[in-house]
Amino acid sequence: MNRTVRFHKTGGPEVLRLEDVPDPVPGQGEVLIRTRALGLNRAESMFRGGDYGVDPVFPSGIGYEASGEIEALGAGVTGLAAGDKVSIVPAFAMTDYVVHGELVVAPAHAVVIHPESLSWEEAASVWMMFITAYGGLVDLAGLRAGETVLIPAASSSVGIAAIQIARMVGARPVALTRTSAKRQPLLDAGADAVIATTEEDVVARVRDLTDGAGVRVIFDPVGGPALADLVAAAAPGATIVLYGRLDSEPAPLDVGAVLFKRLTIRGYELFEITLDEARRRKAVDFVRTGLAEGHLTAVIDATFPLDAVVDAHRHLEAGGQVGKVVVTVPR
């Protein structure tokens, strides 16, 4: 028997339980992994709360990211071996696979031998945030050297990843955050400038930072009423990539600005990258290179032991973190 994180109804972090379940067995094209660390994301929080767009099937497991060692391989798996140190790319639905537990099964296409320089905690942190940011900024928006990119909710793990990827391609990341409390941590994380959205005029600051030109790429997980400022701050021909809806309030839209600025507002989710083999391989190679060359670094805000997984989810939802929340799994 092994312990796995499960829940029997949707709700807050308190619905999570550590339960003993039979050891899983890898099937065709699957890998059995003894985990060492688990990465938390807003996706798990929304799934647990019943607000993810995919309904859990009870009792439900949870989790997209983990790192650990391979214990066994299912039939047909090549390129991997027992004992390999690996991490898991979110390239599956949580209704098909869940990886927040001590012993888990994952599809082989989602299992990556990560750079040896990474700790278990770092390896459990990199794929969701860096591939999400890569997909929106590079694959979809084609962010180029010399351009300015706006990054709302910049202190999240994906926001930090977006800052790093922007710098990696030679662009200028401007971080948006609600208050100035996180200004210095975001500058330390690589932001070229920080705008506190509840304290400053976002549109005026963007004009100042871009000599009145506006920005061509905006990478937004928030939506809601703040979308109006993003549209106003966009340059003609800009692309606004929406990859979340942290604010569920209706988003006002200046149709005239969208029309006459020729804006593209593009909904995006990670899986259009990770479920496409060619795009997934390109993304993984990009992230590997960035990690190996030191352009990309996992920024971990806090770690919690597996027994404190409920506290880890509470910390994630409190919104005060800068970087990733990770759960460690004892041997």
Side-chain angles (χ1 to χ4, degrees):
M1 302 290 284
N2 79 93
R3 295 188 301 166
T4 191
V5 182
R6 298 209 298 181
F7 60 107
H8 295 256
K9 63 180 180 180
T10 57
E14 68 280 357
V15 303
L16 296 175
R17 300 285 186 270
L18 271 177
E19 297 182 347
D20 289 330
V21 299
D23 291 352
V25 177
Q28 177 80 26
E30 295 179 335
V31 179
L32 182 66
I33 299 169
R34 176 74 62 180
T35 65
R36 299 292 298 277
L38 317 173
L40 267 61
N41 303 282
R42 285 285 179 180
E44 284 98 1
S45 172
M46 294 172 70
F47 181 68
R48 186 208 67 230
D51 192 34
Y52 190 54
V54 177
D55 294 330
V57 178
F58 300 118
S60 177
I62 198 168
Y64 275 131
E65 288 187 283
S67 63
E69 296 171 303
I70 293 179
E71 290 223 345
L73 304 174
V77 176
T78 60
L80 297 168
D84 282 347
K85 297 179 179 180
V86 296
S87 47
I88 298 172
V89 174
F92 48 85
M94 276 189 284
T95 48
D96 294 329
Y97 294 92
V98 292
V99 300
H100 284 183
E102 293 175 328
L103 193 63
V104 302
V105 164
H109 69 258
V111 178
V112 174
I113 299 175
H114 55 255
E116 292 186 4
S117 59
L118 298 184
S119 67
W120 292 118
E121 292 79 10
E122 291 169 333
S125 301
V126 295
W127 299 114
M128 172 72 89
M129 65 182 187
F130 282 126
I131 293 181
T132 298
Y134 163 87
L137 296 179
V138 179
D139 186 287
L140 293 182
L143 184 65
R144 299 183 292 266
E147 293 188 315
T148 299
V149 54
L150 284 190
I151 305 171
S155 63
S156 69
S157 58
V158 176
I160 297 294
I163 289 171
Q164 294 186 19
I165 286 176
R167 295 187 68 87
M168 181 174 168
V169 302
R172 181 190 188 197
V174 173
L176 273 60
T177 185
R178 287 181 299 169
T179 73
S180 56
K182 294 180 181 178
R183 186 182 303 276
Q184 192 56 52
L186 287 169
L187 291 171
D188 294 342
D192 190 79
V194 177
I195 301 174
T197 59
T198 62
E199 301 170 10
E200 302 176 76
D201 184 323
V202 173
V203 179
R205 282 277 281 141
V206 171
R207 288 197 191 105
D208 290 343
L209 291 167
T210 61
D211 295 325
V215 292
R216 191 188 70 81
V217 178
I218 299 172
F219 187 55
D220 181 36
V222 180
L227 183 62
D229 282 344
L230 302 184
V231 168
T239 296
I240 301 174
V241 178
L242 286 169
Y243 71 97
R245 53 183 185 93
L246 294 177
D247 189 337
S248 60
E249 291 296 314
L253 188 62
D254 184 340
V255 175
V258 174
L259 175 63
F260 295 113
K261 284 187 177 182
R262 306 177 305 282
L263 303 183
T264 297
I265 300 178
R266 171 66 153 83
Y268 157 66
E269 62 173 3
L270 167 77
F271 301 105
E272 59 184 289
I273 305 296
T274 61
L275 296 181
D276 180 311
E277 183 175 359
R279 294 168 83 185
R280 181 180 67 248
R281 288 182 182 277
K282 193 171 181 179
V284 168
D285 288 345
F286 179 95
V287 174
R288 277 183 185 278
T289 298
L291 292 168
E293 295 180 354
H295 300 296
L296 306 181
T297 304
V299 176
I300 296 174
D301 176 82
T303 60
F304 294 80
L306 182 59
D307 287 336
V309 66
V310 171
D311 293 332
H313 275 249
R314 287 184 176 134
H315 182 74
L316 176 74
E317 294 187 353
Q321 78 274 10
V322 177
K324 194 85 169 187
V325 179
V326 178
V327 171
T328 58
V329 182
R331 300 198 69 167

